[in-house]
């Protein structure tokens, strides 16, 4: 290294700073506190910062993570830098050079592409007076891989394996020159580059090399301090890349750069190594260096890449030339091979060895034959020998064994290389993988065979006919060969090549007219598509003909020409038969539905008519009852009243039977399941009917083996109805003798665990007129009796037994899962058995029907406490004067069961509103005195004037004050406007069908309306419950009465259709009364709900 003057050294220092700023490799220097103190322009571009060192400090003073430099693999900068410090200390203690560490990182600069944002950072440590500085050099990462590059031959442990020491931070010592440290850092950045490079000043007088260059060339170009440029050029010889001539000084890379002042790349040249004397070839690129402040050119930097000895360069170049053919062949997606003129293989491409797994010794010569399928080898050799003698190209499909033993189809091609005289010098060949193509071809052939076989056996036919009516394709059995049991694709139908029309005409007498006509019309161009159905023998075929068109290129394809036709024919015999059957089934279903609809309409009509009849009938019965209570009636008038009452009840019986029948047929009859006392029901019914038996002079017997206190679950009303129908029939059709009822039970297997089921059997025996065998079944048909004289002799509608039993129509006995059987002998008597299963509720005593309690007062009977009973009347003076006329008695017997319903309907659920009433037993009314009754006000809501009058008079006779309104709207207005003339009611009797507003809507508003849910305040002399109020002095002011929405509402309706009770309950009503309402039933209902309103 030559001595340099002080100005030259100063110029070299500025040059180094410019080099660092313009270095194309991003460089970042961190202080001992891990903050950025220097970054060149390449680093600024990499991290996306536009601030220079002089003009701004936004990038300086920040950590690498703050600058957007993130380490991969979830590594943290502080931890990594701590490990660098530890590794540096260990290297210093061992006397080794400073190690260089590699770190994989990514920057967050969005202006760069994905690949440009990834870097391999070379990290090293420079020890200064004030601590350790971290030098980070960024290089493009070809792949992400963590390793430590040792300096020279030294090996150090990886960063992740070392022990982490706490960083000491900046060391405190004597004051140092900061500028001098920065210059050392910048020079260290230049030396840290792994690419050999040198710097030449603009005056061409000074060269400076980096560490890598000195390692390659030694100190020929000066040491770390550089050398004089003129003396170096005198000693240095630089040649062109082929060493054919030495270059002039002006052609040297550095001189070319500073003189042209333009960067360059890819400049190849060579030089003689001063130590080894060998020729070295390199690829040089240059870049100009400028002053940041003034923009003055300071010099240039040259990067020397791809340094290699010239001999190696020539060898590689020659090898590339020699291997160019093989390289191309190896890159081809084929197995390439060559043979001698005699046909012996002398070369294979690399893909051959990879595919077969064979080596060169196993493949060359005739060894390749071992990779060919044994079945295909004779075919290949015959074809190869044939074409080799002829000297033309050869092509054959054969199978080659892959390295895993699997054979693959390949297309082998061979082409001869001939000289000018035509002599074959060499054969070039390729093997192309066509395995998927061959397998697809085989699969397509198999699918075609399957399709053709299916077509033949499925009697689906495909055919084509040309313009001359000749059949060119026929697949399937065809119309005239549909009975074929097998199909051979190699032996097509005899249709091919024949006139399709002639063959069709020969198929059967008269031919196939529809098919023939369509073929001719399509071929003539009259229609494009035609379809016909033709019968051939016992089968029907549907054939569709489509024109096959060909476009003429002469007229631009505007007018396509009919080339022929395509046809498809299928056997639709079964399809037609199935369609006919489905049509018949649909017609039958429509007829069945029409019959059901007609029956339903009829039943609904009967139900509506019954409802309309019940309303006026209720008025007649109610008025007659009021009239019968008049004490001023004479005996003759009383007899007239009784006759009217008897006729009205007879009419009501007929209406009820029709209503029950219509409900059964329309499927709207419901069966309840409530607890009841069976013994009480049977006893009450027997006591009632025994009176009529005594009038006819008959002996009426009742025998039971059941516990009188046994409570069962079932429908008490329907059970009584079936039993009463059987008993009244026995009484009506028995002129002399006796009628006897026997009740027994037996245990049944329960359907559910814990249930106890009893099968109760009622046997009714009489000594009546009897019934012929052929008449028995008629009795259970609607409106049918034994003969035409029965109705005239004994009366009745003929619906009683129909309603009681008809399993096919789901009548009462069947709905209750029971049965009725009848056995009769003419002139001897009949025996009817009614059986019904009932679930046991509990053993309890019903206080209302206890044996020690008297019967209902209007019956006038007393039950003797015996298991076997003969019921006799205790008071007969009311009937002693009655004319014992059979017709009248039969009518009284038929109507008797409608006089009294011993089991009241259960109340609707109002437990939420009345569960807190004290001293109240569920369902049992409390007795009220006359004074107490006068305090219970009743509001009647009824639109029918007659029924309203009846209700008002009956309620007043029962001792209750009453007010009436005409519809639901008036009732709501009444409740919101209390006055002395409009006292608050304790109970509301609500008709459900009214004009303006019906009972359902009115009750719903009462239960849900906000104005009806508020506590009502009143300071009257008497409140709606009849309680006296003494005034503000004693009562303390106004008295709170409770909410209007809590007033009990009892529905009154003439309808009895299934769902009425549920509908009333959903509207908020509390109980249910069916019209006509008997006085006793009305009194019972009022006492029941009035008691619930009384304060304990």
């Amino acid at each position: 290294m030559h001595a340099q003057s002080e100005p030259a050294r100063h110029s070299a220092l500025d040059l180094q700073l410019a080099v660092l700023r313009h270095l194309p490799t991003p460089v970042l220097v961190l202080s001992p506190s891990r903050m950025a103190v220097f970054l060149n322009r390449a680093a600024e571009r990499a991290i996306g910062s536009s601030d220079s060192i002089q003009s701004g400090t936004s990038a300086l003073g920040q950590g690498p993570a703050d600058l957007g430099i993130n380490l991969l693999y979830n590594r943290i900068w502080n931890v990594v830098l701590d490990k660098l410090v530890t590794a540096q200390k260990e290297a210093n203690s061992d006397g080794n050079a400073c190690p260089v560490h590699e770190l994989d990182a990514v920057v967050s600069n969005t202006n760069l592409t994905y690949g440009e944002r990834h870097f391999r950072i070379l990290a090293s440590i420079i020890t200064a007076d004030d601590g350790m500085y971290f030098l980070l050099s960024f290089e493009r990462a070809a792949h992400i891989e963590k390793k430590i590059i040792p300096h020279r031959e030294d090996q150090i442990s990886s960063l992740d394996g070392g022990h982490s020491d706490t960083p000491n931070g900046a060391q405190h010592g004597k004051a140092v020159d900061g500028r001098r440290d920065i210059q050392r850092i910048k020079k260290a950045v230049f030396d840290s580059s792994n690419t050999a490079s040198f710097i030449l000043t603009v005056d061409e007088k000074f060269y400076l090399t980096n560490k890598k260059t000195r390692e390659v060339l030694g100190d020929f170009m000066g040491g770390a301090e550089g050398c004089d440029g003129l003396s170096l050029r005198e000693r240095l010889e630089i040649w062109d890349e082929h060493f054919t001539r030495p270059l002039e000084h002006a052609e040297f890379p550095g001189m070319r750069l500073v003189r042209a002042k333009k960067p360059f790349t890819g400049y190849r040249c060579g030089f003689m190594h001063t130590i080894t004397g060998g020729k070295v070839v390199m690829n040089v690129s240059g870049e100009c260096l400028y002053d940041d402040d003034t923009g003055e050119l300071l010099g240039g930097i040259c990067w020397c890449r791809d340094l290699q000895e010239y001999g190696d360069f020539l060898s590689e170049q020659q090898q590339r030339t020699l291997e160019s053919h093989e390289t191309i062949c190896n890159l081809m997606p084929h197995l390439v091979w060559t043979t001698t003129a005699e046909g012996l293989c002398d070369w294979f491409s690399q893909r051959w060895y990879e595919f077969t797994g064979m080596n060169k010794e196993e493949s060359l010569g005739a060894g390749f034959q071992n990779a060919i399928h044994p079945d295909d080898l004779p075919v290949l050799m015959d074809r190869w020998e044939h074409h080799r003698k002829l000297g033309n190209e050869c092509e054959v499909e054969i199978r080659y064994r892959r390295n895993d033993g699997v054979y693959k189809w390949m297309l082998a091609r061979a082409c001869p290389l001939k000289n000018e005289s035509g002599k074959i010098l060499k054969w070039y060949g390729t093997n192309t993988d066509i395995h998927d193509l061959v397998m697809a071809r085989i699969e397509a052939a198999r699918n075609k065979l399957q399709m053709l076989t299916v077509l033949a056996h499925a009697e689906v036919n495909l055919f084509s006919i040309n313009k001359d009516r000749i059949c060119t394709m026929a697949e399937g059995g065809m119309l005239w060969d549909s009975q074929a049991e097998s199909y051979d694709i190699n032996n097509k139908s005899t249709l091919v090549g024949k006139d399709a029309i002639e063959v069709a005409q020969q198929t059967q007498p008269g031919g196939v007219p529809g098919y023939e006509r369509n073929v001719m019309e399509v071929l003539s161009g009259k229609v494009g598509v035609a379809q016909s159905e033709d019968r051939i023998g016992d089968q029907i075929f549907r054939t569709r003909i489509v024109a096959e068109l060909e476009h003429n290129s002469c007229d631009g394809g505007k007018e396509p020409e009919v080339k022929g036709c395509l046809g498809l024919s299928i056997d639709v015999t079964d399809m037609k038969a199935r369609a006919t059957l489905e049509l018949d089934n649909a017609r039958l279903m429509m007829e069945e539905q029409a019959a059901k609809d007609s029956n339903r309409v009829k039943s609904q009509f009967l139900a509506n008519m019954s409802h309309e009849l019940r309303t006026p009938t209720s008025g007649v019965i109610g008025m007659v009852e009021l009239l019968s209570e008049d004490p001023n009636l004479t005996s003759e008038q009383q007899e007239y009243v009784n006759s009217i009452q008897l006729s009205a009840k007879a009419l009501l019986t007929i209406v009820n039977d029709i209503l029950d029948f219509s409900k059964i047929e329309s499927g709207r009859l419901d069966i309840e399941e409530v607890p009841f006392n069976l013994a009480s029901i049977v006893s009450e019914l027997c006591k009632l009917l025994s009176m009529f038996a005594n009038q006819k002079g008959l002996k009426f017997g009742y025998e039971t083996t059941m516990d009188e206190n046994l409570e069962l679950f079932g429908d008490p009303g329907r059970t009584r109805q079936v039993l009463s129908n059987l008993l009244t029939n026995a009484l009506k059709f028995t002129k002399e003798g006796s009628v006897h009822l026997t009740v027994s039970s037996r245990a049944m297997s329960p359907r559910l665990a814990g249930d106890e089921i009893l099968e109760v059997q009622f046997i009714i025996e009489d000594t009546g007129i009897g019934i012929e065998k052929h008449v028995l079944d008629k009795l259970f048909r609607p409106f049918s009796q034994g003969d035409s004289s029965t109705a005239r002799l004994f009366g009745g509608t003929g619906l009683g037994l129909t309603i009681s039993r008809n399993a096919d129509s789901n009548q009462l006995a069947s709905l209750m899962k029971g049965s009725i059987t009848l056995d009769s002998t003419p002139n001897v008597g009949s025996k009817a058995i009614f059986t019904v299963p009932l679930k046991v509720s509990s053993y309890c005593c019903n206080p209302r029907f206890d044996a020690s309690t008297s019967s209902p007062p209007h019956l006038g009977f007393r039950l003797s406490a015996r298991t076997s009973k003969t019921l006799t009347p205790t008071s007969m003076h009311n009937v002693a004067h009655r004319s014992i006329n059979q017709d009248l008695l039969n009518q009284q017997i038929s109507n008797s069961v409608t006089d009294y319903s011993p089991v009241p309907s259960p109340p609707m659920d109002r437990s939420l509103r009345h569960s807190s009433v004290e001293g109240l037993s569920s369902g049992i009314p409390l007795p009220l005195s006359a004074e107490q009754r006068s305090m219970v006000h009743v509001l009647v809501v009824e639109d029918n004037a007659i029924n309203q009058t009846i209700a008002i008079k009956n309620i007043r006779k029962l001792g209750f004050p009453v007010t009436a309104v005409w519809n639901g709207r008036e009732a709501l207005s009444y409740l919101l406007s209390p006055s002395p003339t409009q006292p608050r009611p304790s109970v509301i009797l609500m008709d459900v069908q009214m004009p303006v507003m019906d009972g359902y809507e009115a009750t719903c508003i009462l239960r849900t309306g906000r104005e009806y849910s508020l506590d009502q305040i009143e300071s009257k002399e008497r409140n709606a419950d009849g309680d006296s109020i003494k005034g503000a002095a004693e009562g303390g002011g106004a008295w709170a009465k409770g909410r209007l929405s809590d007033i009990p509402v009892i529905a009154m309706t003439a309808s009895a259709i299934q769902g009425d009770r549920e509908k009333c309950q959903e509207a908020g009503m509390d109980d249910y009364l069916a019209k006509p309402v008997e006085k006793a039933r009305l009194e019972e209902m009022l006492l029941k709900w009035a008691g619930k309103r009384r304060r304990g």
Side-chain angles (χ1 to χ4, degrees):
M1 183 177 69
H2 299 276
Q4 302 174 16
S5 62
E6 186 66 28
R9 291 182 180 276
H10 183 72
S11 176
L13 183 60
D14 293 336
L15 183 62
Q16 293 177 26
L17 292 174
V19 168
L20 289 177
R21 292 192 188 100
H22 293 86
L23 197 66
T25 302
V27 176
L28 174 66
V29 180
L30 303 179
S31 68
S33 59
R34 285 79 184 278
M35 299 297 175
V37 295
F38 173 81
L39 68 162
N40 64 358
R41 291 186 173 181
E44 292 176 356
R45 290 193 298 270
I47 65 177
S49 173
S50 60
D51 303 320
S52 64
I53 299 175
Q54 291 81 6
S55 60
T57 59
S58 62
L60 301 179
Q62 300 187 45
D66 299 330
L67 296 175
I69 307 172
N70 301 314
L71 295 175
L72 299 182
Y73 316 119
N74 296 324
R75 304 177 71 182
I76 302 174
W77 273 109
N78 285 336
V79 176
V80 171
L81 296 179
D82 289 343
K83 292 183 179 180
L84 289 177
V85 173
T86 302
Q88 179 67 23
K89 291 180 179 179
E90 292 177 355
N92 293 339
S93 63
D94 296 338
N96 297 327
C98 302
V100 179
H101 305 276
E102 293 187 1
L103 305 172
D104 293 318
V106 61
V107 298
S108 58
N109 186 358
T110 58
N111 295 325
L112 302 179
T113 64
Y114 176 81
E116 293 174 343
R117 293 200 300 269
H118 287 76
F119 290 93
R120 174 68 57 83
I121 299 178
L122 303 178
S124 59
I125 294 180
I126 301 174
T127 303
D129 295 339
D130 57 345
M132 293 184 181
Y133 286 79
F134 301 91
L135 178 62
L136 307 179
S137 176
F138 294 70
E139 293 186 354
R140 294 295 176 192
H143 53 81
I144 306 302
E145 180 182 12
K146 173 183 170 296
K147 63 181 181 179
I148 299 179
I149 303 177
H151 185 66
R152 296 177 184 175
E153 301 297 328
D154 301 328
Q155 301 291 334
I156 63 174
S157 61
S158 65
L159 293 175
D160 292 336
H163 298 285
S164 175
D165 295 334
T166 304
N168 297 325
Q171 298 179 357
H172 299 281
K174 62 182 181 177
V176 295
D177 186 0
R179 178 176 177 81
R180 184 185 62 189
D181 290 340
I182 292 298
Q183 303 303 328
R184 292 176 60 191
I185 292 170
K186 293 180 179 179
K187 188 175 185 303
V189 170
F190 178 60
D191 283 340
S192 66
S193 176
N194 285 334
T195 303
S197 59
F198 65 89
I199 300 171
L200 176 62
T201 60
V202 69
D203 57 5
E204 304 174 0
K205 294 181 180 180
F206 180 74
Y207 281 92
L208 179 65
T209 60
N210 68 349
K211 188 176 181 180
K212 184 66 176 180
T213 306
R214 295 193 297 272
E215 289 178 358
V216 176
L217 302 178
D219 292 334
F220 178 74
M221 295 182 67
E225 301 301 327
C227 67
D228 180 68
L230 181 59
S231 61
L232 176 63
R233 286 190 291 273
E234 293 296 334
R235 301 191 310 271
L236 183 64
E237 289 185 359
I238 299 180
W239 299 69
D240 64 351
E241 62 175 328
H242 299 293
F243 287 89
T244 58
R245 69 174 183 89
L247 300 180
E248 298 293 337
H249 288 177
E251 295 179 296
F252 283 9
M255 298 293 290
R256 178 184 175 184
L257 177 63
V258 296
R259 290 183 179 183
K261 300 180 181 180
K262 293 182 179 180
F264 61 84
T265 58
Y267 185 75
R268 297 191 63 83
C269 59
F271 63 91
M272 299 295 182
H273 200 285
T274 58
I275 300 176
T276 63
K279 297 179 180 179
V280 179
V281 181
M282 60 183 175
N283 189 350
V284 184
S285 60
E287 186 176 354
C288 297
L289 302 176
Y290 297 93
D291 187 276
D292 289 341
D293 298 329
T294 65
E296 178 186 1
L297 178 66
L298 300 177
I301 181 170
C302 292
W303 306 91
C304 304
R305 297 179 174 86
D306 302 332
L307 276 73
Q308 63 180 155
E309 294 187 1
Y310 183 65
D312 296 337
F313 171 73
L314 293 179
S315 298
E316 290 180 2
Q317 190 177 35
Q318 183 179 10
Q319 185 66 24
R320 286 194 298 271
T321 303
L322 293 175
E323 294 179 354
S324 60
H325 169 73
E326 295 183 3
T327 301
I328 294 174
C329 293
N330 288 332
L331 292 176
M332 292 177 60
H334 308 279
L335 310 183
V336 185
W337 44 268
T338 62
T339 71
T340 62
E342 292 75 18
L344 298 177
C345 288
D346 57 359
W347 180 84
F348 287 94
S349 66
Q350 186 61 32
R351 290 182 180 269
W352 165 269
Y353 301 113
E354 294 174 356
F355 178 83
T356 62
M358 302 171 65
N359 54 33
K360 290 184 178 181
E361 291 75 12
E362 295 173 340
S363 302
L364 298 179
F368 71 93
Q369 298 178 7
N370 295 325
I372 301 175
H373 196 282
D375 296 341
D376 298 339
L377 183 59
V379 178
L380 173 64
M381 298 311 296
D382 291 344
R383 298 284 296 274
W384 168 245
E385 189 65 25
H386 173 74
H387 288 280
R388 193 176 65 82
K389 290 179 180 180
L390 296 177
N392 56 12
E393 295 183 7
C394 176
E395 183 175 306
V396 62
E397 293 181 359
I398 54 177
R399 287 167 288 179
Y400 284 86
R401 186 183 65 245
R402 200 168 57 185
N403 53 22
D404 57 358
V406 177
Y407 284 92
K408 294 289 184 178
W409 283 97
M410 289 196 172
L411 176 63
R413 294 191 183 98
C415 182
L417 175 64
K418 301 178 182 180
N419 59 12
E420 296 178 356
S421 62
K423 182 180 178 180
I424 297 177
L425 302 178
K426 204 174 189 63
W427 286 85
Y428 286 84
T430 60
N431 292 344
T432 305
D433 188 353
I434 59 170
H435 184 78
D436 293 340
L437 179 62
V438 174
M439 296 306 296
R441 194 168 62 218
I442 295 174
E443 180 67 16
R446 187 176 67 85
N447 292 340
K448 181 180 179 181
L449 177 60
Q450 291 178 347
M451 182 190 69
L452 296 178
T453 304
V454 169
L455 287 176
H457 290 281
E459 300 179 359
V460 177
N461 311 294
L462 296 174
F463 58 90
S464 65
I465 303 172
N466 63 14
K467 186 68 174 177
D468 300 326
R469 306 193 313 187
I470 302 300
C471 185
T472 58
M473 185 268 291
E475 302 292 352
M478 297 306 294
L479 305 180
W480 32 86
D481 194 20
S482 59
Q483 301 299 327
E485 296 182 358
S486 61
Y487 183 76
D488 184 3
I489 62 171
N490 297 319
N491 183 17
K492 298 290 185 179
S493 171
T494 56
L495 274 174
V496 177
K498 294 184 178 181
D499 189 306
I501 301 300
E502 292 181 359
V503 174
Q505 291 174 351
Q506 297 171 3
T507 301
Q508 62 182 5
V512 188
Y515 161 78
E516 297 171 14
R517 181 181 63 256
N518 289 343
V519 170
M520 296 304 296
E521 290 182 352
V522 171
L523 291 178
S524 63
K526 293 181 180 180
V527 294
V529 180
Q531 180 174 305
S532 63
E533 289 186 1
D534 303 284
R535 179 177 293 276
I536 300 178
D538 296 333
Q539 294 175 288
I540 302 175
F541 291 88
R542 180 180 297 163
T543 306
R544 180 182 288 266
I545 308 295
V546 181
E548 183 180 5
L549 303 178
E550 182 180 40
H551 293 271
N552 189 354
S553 60
C554 297
D555 60 357
K558 293 183 179 180
E559 296 294 336
E561 181 184 358
V562 178
K563 182 181 178 181
C565 64
L566 303 174
L568 171 67
S569 179
I570 59 175
D571 186 351
V572 296
T573 306
D574 294 339
M575 188 187 306
K576 299 287 285 185
R578 185 165 54 252
T580 302
L581 182 60
E582 290 177 354
L583 184 61
D584 293 340
N585 289 338
R587 185 175 64 255
L588 292 175
M589 291 178 63
M590 292 177 62
E591 293 176 354
E592 181 184 6
Q593 186 62 37
K596 290 181 178 178
D597 292 342
S598 175
N599 190 41
R600 188 162 46 250
V601 170
K602 178 192 67 176
S603 300
Q604 186 62 42
F605 172 75
L606 291 175
N608 293 338
M609 288 302 298
S610 299
H611 172 269
E612 295 300 324
L613 290 172
R614 286 170 65 92
T615 300
T617 305
S618 300
V620 173
I621 295 176
M623 286 297 183
V624 170
E625 286 183 351
L626 292 175
L627 184 60
S628 64
E629 295 175 358
D630 187 354
N632 299 321
L633 293 178
T634 64
S635 59
E636 183 179 4
Q637 291 172 336
Q638 184 66 47
E639 186 176 354
Y640 296 157
V641 169
N642 292 338
S643 298
I644 295 173
Q645 187 176 26
L646 184 62
S647 299
K649 290 188 176 182
L651 177 60
L652 182 61
T653 301
I654 296 174
V655 171
N656 288 339
D657 285 346
I658 295 175
L659 180 59
D660 280 344
F661 177 72
S662 64
K663 286 193 294 184
I664 291 172
E665 283 202 336
S666 60
R668 301 178 65 182
L669 185 71
D670 56 335
I671 298 297
E672 296 181 328
E673 187 170 351
V674 296
F676 70 100
N677 187 289
L678 180 63
S680 298
I681 291 177
V682 177
S683 296
E684 296 293 342
L685 180 61
C686 291
K687 285 188 288 183
L688 176 63
L689 295 179
S690 64
M691 177 186 68
F692 299 103
N694 186 269
Q695 289 181 356
K696 295 186 67 173
L698 302 178
K699 181 181 180 182
F700 189 91
Y702 164 42
E703 182 178 353
T704 179
T705 60
M706 297 183 63
D707 189 339
E708 293 185 355
N709 297 324
L710 181 62
E711 190 176 70
L712 301 172
F713 270 106
D715 192 326
R718 298 304 178 183
T719 303
R720 180 180 184 275
Q721 184 177 358
V722 174
L723 187 59
S724 64
N725 282 336
L726 296 175
L727 286 173
T728 54
N729 277 343
L731 289 172
K732 283 166 56 177
F733 296 103
T734 303
K735 295 181 179 180
E736 56 184 13
S738 64
V739 175
H740 190 268
L741 170 64
T742 303
V743 183
S744 61
S745 64
R746 68 177 184 88
M748 295 178 61
S749 299
R751 291 185 295 270
L752 297 174
D755 289 347
E756 184 178 353
I757 307 296
L758 291 181
E759 184 183 65
V760 181
Q761 186 178 70
F762 303 90
I763 302 176
I764 299 96
E765 298 175 289
D766 65 70
T767 58
I769 59 176
I771 306 172
E772 297 287 347
K773 293 291 185 183
H774 67 278
V775 181
L776 283 177
D777 290 337
K778 264 180 72 175
L779 293 180
F780 294 98
R781 296 177 186 173
F783 308 104
S784 297
Q785 294 183 331
D787 54 53
S788 59
S789 62
T790 303
R792 294 191 300 270
L793 292 174
F794 301 99
T797 61
L799 287 175
L801 293 180
T802 300
I803 295 172
S804 299
R805 189 214 79 170
N806 191 339
D808 294 336
S809 301
N810 292 324
Q811 312 294 34
L812 290 179
S814 299
L815 289 175
M816 292 188 293
K817 300 180 177 58
S819 62
I820 296 177
T821 59
L822 183 61
D823 187 19
S824 181
T825 303
N827 301 321
V828 175
S830 302
K831 179 180 180 181
I833 302 176
F834 168 40
T835 304
V836 60
L838 297 173
K839 185 168 65 173
V840 176
S841 171
S842 63
Y843 286 88
C844 64
C845 179
N846 188 333
R848 183 168 180 260
F849 299 114
D850 195 290
S852 61
T853 305
S854 300
S855 310
H858 67 285
L859 293 177
F861 287 92
R862 183 175 62 252
L863 179 64
S864 57
R866 294 181 305 181
T867 301
S868 180
K869 310 172 182 67
T870 299
L871 300 177
T872 58
T874 58
S875 178
M876 294 297 297
H877 61 275
N878 290 331
V879 296
H881 303 287
R882 226 177 254 184
S883 174
I884 309 301
N885 182 280
Q886 289 294 328
D887 292 341
L888 182 59
L889 280 176
N890 289 337
Q891 190 176 32
Q892 291 175 342
I893 293 172
S894 298
N895 300 337
S896 61
V897 294
T898 64
D899 259 353
Y900 176 69
S901 177
V903 179
S905 60
M908 300 177 190
D909 185 12
R910 284 184 53 86
S911 58
L912 296 178
R913 290 195 292 269
H914 300 295
S915 59
S916 62
V917 179
E918 298 178 1
L920 182 65
S921 299
S922 177
I924 305 221
L926 297 177
L928 296 178
S929 64
E931 182 182 0
Q932 290 174 327
R933 293 192 181 201
S934 65
M935 298 168 61
V936 178
H937 193 88
V938 180
L939 175 64
V940 175
V941 187
E942 173 64 66
D943 65 312
N944 186 280
I946 297 177
N947 289 336
Q948 187 185 97
T949 301
I950 295 172
I952 291 174
K953 290 184 175 296
N954 282 328
I955 293 172
R956 286 176 178 170
K957 288 185 177 183
L958 293 174
F960 298 97
V962 61
T963 306
V965 293
W966 295 102
N967 54 63
R969 180 173 297 175
E970 291 185 8
L972 295 177
S973 300
Y974 178 96
L975 294 175
L976 293 176
S977 305
S979 67
T981 59
Q982 293 185 181
R984 169 176 168 157
S986 300
V987 180
I988 300 176
L989 296 179
M990 181 79 71
D991 190 14
V992 296
Q993 295 182 355
M994 294 179 291
V996 183
M997 180 184 291
D998 60 25
Y1000 300 120
E1001 183 179 358
T1003 305
C1004 183
I1005 294 174
L1006 175 64
R1007 299 305 185 205
T1008 59
R1010 184 174 180 273
E1011 61 271 28
Y1012 303 99
S1013 300
L1014 301 176
D1015 290 338
Q1016 300 295 311
I1017 307 299
E1018 186 178 346
S1019 296
K1020 307 291 181 181
E1021 279 193 23
R1022 183 178 296 275
N1023 63 10
D1025 289 333
D1027 295 327
S1028 173
I1029 299 177
K1030 300 299 183 181
E1034 297 181 23
W1039 181 72
K1041 296 177 8 178
R1043 299 180 301 179
L1044 293 174
S1045 59
D1046 288 336
I1047 299 176
V1049 178
I1050 302 170
M1052 291 196 309
T1053 177
S1055 176
I1057 301 298
Q1058 179 186 8
D1060 287 345
R1061 181 182 298 275
E1062 291 76 9
K1063 189 175 180 180
C1064 293
Q1065 185 176 3
E1066 290 174 2
M1069 298 181 180
D1070 300 278
D1071 219 321
Y1072 183 91
L1073 279 174
K1075 296 179 182 178
V1077 182
E1078 297 179 354
K1079 187 176 179 180
R1081 184 77 180 103
L1082 177 61
E1083 180 182 15
E1084 181 183 357
M1085 189 66 68
L1086 293 177
L1087 290 176
K1088 172 182 175 182
W1089 290 106
K1092 290 191 176 183
R1093 300 303 299 167
R1094 288 188 300 130
R1095 297 185 302 277

